Amino acid sequence: MARITKFIMLLSFLALVPLCFSAKTPGGYLYPQFYDHSCPKAQEIVKMVVAKAVAKEARMAASLLRLHFHDCFVKGCDASLLLDSTGSIVSEKRSNPNRNSARGFEVLDEIKSALEKECPHTVSCADILALAARDSTVLTGGPYWEVPLGRRDSRGASLSGSNNNIPAPNNTFQTILTKFKLQGLDIVDLVALSGSHTIGNARCTSFRQRLYNQTGNGKPDFTLDQSYAAQLRGRCPRSGGDQNLFFLDFVSPVHFDNSYFKNLLAYKGLLSSDQILVTQNQASMELVKKYAENNELFFEHFAKSMVKMGNISPLTGSRGEIRKHCRKMNSY
């Protein structure tokens, strides 16, 4: 009898364990062990496909990380971004922040296909995005974190939300901070998550105004190092070359580290939205200095902020669905 009582107590304890690492959201919990029984190889499969894609093209790590960000800021982390346009849906892929720049969808298709073979109708596209973002960070030398899981996929998209909610390269600091606060994120999250620009590229069209006409007076941005600006003008002319790519962090473009913040202190941030972290707000400038001096602190804050961002308004329980194909809703 005593043994049975102990066994029951142990089961009760184990039932609570996932909650220690969980995030409470309206409608349910997300926790890292969500697929431990229903699809034990889920995380391994995601990591394997992401590793293959990043080995083939280093830039893909930043692309996958960006997709998670652009998904979460619109209607929450629900894979709405992945839906293609249909009769009833206008895809978020058409929005200004995503058009001609959001990429990596084929990698997600490959992950989803592998997961459907392993455990059909189990792992959501929203969770695939969250895991792929974490794995991309780790593969490029960044921090590891446990990803809370259990999100479900939306049955709709929001083009207007994508156009309005995602911070833009030319937004003021206050506008960007407001967009973060509307998602329940704060200034630490803003600066730490901006550090994802330690990897990846930006197009000429995203920062051209800094080189030629920052405030409408026909003059370049005085907060941009002039020798760096001259270098950028070589491949980003006044007109044409819109799609030409430039490293967001020219020091270590495919390595996840704190050199991005060191670049900002040297006035060599590529996007206006990067450099204003130093020039438009004292509190954000202090955080930039801290991260530039302490890579471990940056990693710690980045990981915490990624978990926080991943918890924005997920669909849980019976809300939403588990899509069979990430690009389209299930047909019933």
Side-chain angles (χ1 to χ4, degrees):
M1 187 69 187
R3 278 185 182 177
I4 293 171
T5 306
K6 281 182 182 176
F7 182 63
I8 290 169
M9 287 172 68
L10 178 63
L11 284 179
S12 302
F13 170 73
L14 289 173
L16 291 171
V17 167
L19 306 186
C20 302
F21 307 96
S22 67
K24 184 74 170 77
T25 64
Y29 280 99
L30 301 181
Y31 54 95
Q33 301 84 358
F34 189 83
Y35 298 111
D36 280 8
H37 299 295
S38 59
C39 193
K41 290 185 179 174
Q43 297 202 40
E44 185 186 321
I45 288 169
V46 175
K47 183 180 175 183
M48 184 178 65
V49 178
V50 171
K52 187 176 74 170
V54 172
K56 186 177 174 184
E57 184 197 18
R59 180 187 172 202
M60 187 54 70
S63 300
L64 293 171
L65 182 53
R66 185 171 183 256
L67 287 181
H68 183 43
F69 172 51
H70 282 209
D71 178 45
C72 290
F73 266 61
V74 184
K75 289 165 31 65
C77 307
D78 61 0
S80 59
L81 169 58
L82 305 185
L83 290 170
D84 288 337
S85 292
T86 62
S88 60
I89 289 173
V90 180
S91 176
E92 293 171 19
K93 296 173 186 178
R94 294 185 180 182
S95 72
N96 291 327
N98 294 325
R99 194 173 58 245
N100 298 324
S101 66
R103 59 196 298 276
F105 300 110
E106 298 79 8
V107 177
L108 298 170
D109 290 340
E110 187 179 342
I111 294 169
K112 183 59 174 169
S113 175
L115 286 168
E116 284 299 310
K117 282 177 189 165
E118 178 69 24
C119 31
H121 202 68
T122 303
V123 182
S124 69
C125 300
D127 278 344
I128 291 171
L129 277 168
L131 288 168
R134 189 271 311 277
D135 293 341
S136 294
T137 302
V138 173
L139 283 162
T140 47
Y144 175 90
W145 63 92
E146 290 271 282
V147 179
L149 300 165
R151 302 166 191 79
R152 289 166 65 85
D153 300 323
S154 73
R155 293 195 184 104
S158 176
L159 181 67
S160 61
S162 189
N163 277 321
N164 297 325
N165 298 354
I166 297 170
N170 301 330
N171 283 161
T172 63
F173 177 85
Q174 200 51 53
T175 298
I176 293 173
L177 182 59
T178 298
K179 288 180 177 181
F180 268 73
K181 284 184 173 176
L182 286 171
Q183 305 295 345
L185 303 174
D186 59 28
I187 192 168
V188 175
D189 302 312
L190 165 54
V191 180
L193 292 173
S194 294
S196 62
H197 286 178
T198 176
I199 56 174
N201 302 263
R203 297 172 297 155
C204 165
T205 185
S206 301
F207 62 87
R208 175 185 280 123
Q209 87 291 341
R210 298 193 74 202
L211 304 179
Y212 303 103
N213 190 20
Q214 176 68 352
T215 57
N217 62 0
K219 293 182 180 177
D221 186 348
F222 71 92
T223 69
L224 179 62
D225 178 84
Q226 291 311 298
S227 63
Y228 183 43
Q231 190 185 327
L232 294 171
R233 285 188 199 101
R235 287 184 49 246
C236 187
R238 280 182 184 272
S239 62
D242 284 8
Q243 305 303 318
N244 290 351
L245 292 174
F246 295 77
F247 292 130
L248 285 160
D249 169 6
F250 68 92
V251 174
S252 56
V254 295
H255 188 67
F256 200 102
D257 58 23
N258 65 341
S259 59
Y260 162 83
F261 296 105
K262 295 174 183 176
N263 295 342
L264 297 187
L265 294 175
Y267 296 95
K268 293 180 180 179
L270 185 63
L271 304 178
S272 174
S273 54
D274 293 324
Q275 197 59 58
I276 59 175
L277 298 180
V278 167
T279 60
Q280 288 190 12
N281 184 274
Q282 185 68 32
S284 67
M285 181 178 74
E286 292 304 322
L287 283 163
V288 168
K289 285 180 179 175
K290 284 181 181 176
Y291 296 155
E293 290 166 7
N294 190 336
N295 194 55
E296 281 184 19
L297 182 68
F298 164 47
F299 277 20
E300 180 191 329
H301 285 189
F302 183 82
K304 282 181 183 172
S305 294
M306 283 297 290
V307 171
K308 201 169 162 186
M309 184 183 79
N311 291 335
I312 298 173
S313 307
L315 299 170
T316 55
S318 59
R319 296 185 304 156
E321 65 182 15
I322 306 296
R323 286 183 215 143
K324 184 172 182 178
H325 301 283
C326 290
R327 294 172 183 262
K328 60 183 184 181
M329 292 184 295
N330 297 336
S331 48
Y332 293 97

